[in-house]
């Protein structure tokens, strides 16, 4: 049995993609995940399973669609892998409130990566490592045109972004 961190794409505490976390814990437990816990209202799940990563992503997506009616993508990583993603953060000795992690459901193709990296991201800075994009925003995430939607469109992948503090807490919770 492995511990996984599952990030839901586009979950909001209100509106069309509202997914109540108590309901989410219940439906994922009923779907077969173990020790399901959530962190804040934006779709962060920690759970145990014997399933593989892709199977968990499908299970979570399907359970939410069937029980809540929302079509929300799930991106899963084993706890060990999630910790490595966090530790590979290339932006150290900076204001962590400006650091974001965008995890991709799959790695973009080589051509997509190469074309993407030709983009002038200034005044922001990005680094693409495997299936994760690390972004250091010059001011605030909300002030930049380089958003999760931009990354998805350019790289043709499903992606979801989290800030440094959320990533840090998820590493802590999944290591217990």
């Amino acid at each position: 049995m492995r511990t996984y961190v599952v990030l839901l794409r586009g979950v909001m505490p209100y509106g069309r993609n509202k997914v109540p976390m108590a309901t989410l814990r219940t439906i994922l437990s009923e779907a077969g995940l173990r020790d399901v816990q959530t962190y804040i209202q934006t779709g962060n799940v920690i759970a145990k399973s014997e399933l593989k990563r892709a199977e968990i992503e499908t299970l979570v997506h399907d359970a939410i669609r069937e029980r809540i009616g929302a079509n929300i993508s799930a991106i899963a990583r084993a706890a060990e892998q999630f910790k490595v993603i966090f530790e590979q953060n290339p932006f150290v000795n900076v204001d962590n409130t400006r650091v974001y992690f965008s995890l991709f459901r799959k790695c973009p193709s080589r051509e997509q990566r190469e074309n993407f990296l030709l983009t002038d991201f200034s005044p922001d800075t990005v680094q693409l490592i495997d299936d994760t994009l690390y972004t250091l925003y010059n001011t605030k995430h909300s002030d930049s045109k380089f958003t999760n939607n931009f990354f998805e469109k350019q790289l043709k992948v499903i992606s979801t972004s989290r800030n440094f503090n959320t990533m840090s807490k998820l590493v802590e919770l999944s290591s217990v």
Side-chain angles (χ1 to χ4, degrees), residues 15-83:
R16 183 174 57 106
N17 282 343
K18 180 179 179 181
V19 177
M21 293 300 109
T23 303
L24 180 62
R25 288 190 298 273
T26 299
I27 66 172
L28 294 182
S29 293
E30 290 172 356
L33 298 182
R34 302 281 184 253
D35 300 330
V36 179
Q37 57 182 316
T38 56
Y39 175 67
I40 63 177
Q41 296 295 313
T42 56
N44 304 293
V45 178
I46 297 149
K48 293 182 180 174
S49 178
E50 293 180 3
L51 297 174
K52 293 182 175 143
R53 174 179 145 182
E55 295 170 320
I56 289 177
E57 292 170 342
T58 300
L59 179 139
V60 170
H61 172 269
D62 292 349
I64 292 170
R65 189 186 67 232
E66 291 166 12
R67 298 282 302 275
I68 298 175
N71 186 20
I72 294 175
S73 295
I75 297 175
R77 297 291 185 273
E80 305 83 19
Q81 183 184 18
F82 198 82
K83 183 178 180 186

Side-chain angles (χ1 to χ4, degrees), residues 91-124:
F91 304 115
V92 294
N93 301 319
V94 298
D95 176 3
N96 289 333
T97 64
R98 298 186 302 125
V99 176
Y100 280 72
F101 301 72
S102 299
L103 285 77
F104 306 143
R105 189 143 186 206
K106 64 176 183 155
C107 280
S109 72
R110 181 179 176 170
E111 181 181 348
Q112 289 163 332
R113 293 167 66 94
E114 289 172 356
N115 288 335
F116 177 77
L117 292 173
L118 294 174
T119 305
D120 177 7
F121 291 100
S122 60
D124 304 323

Side-chain angles (χ1 to χ4, degrees), residues 77 85 101-104 127-134:
R77 297 291 185 273
I85 289 168
F101 301 72
S102 299
L103 285 77
F104 306 143
Q127 290 228 0
L128 183 56
I129 301 173
D130 301 322
D131 57 6
T132 305
L133 182 71
Y134 302 84

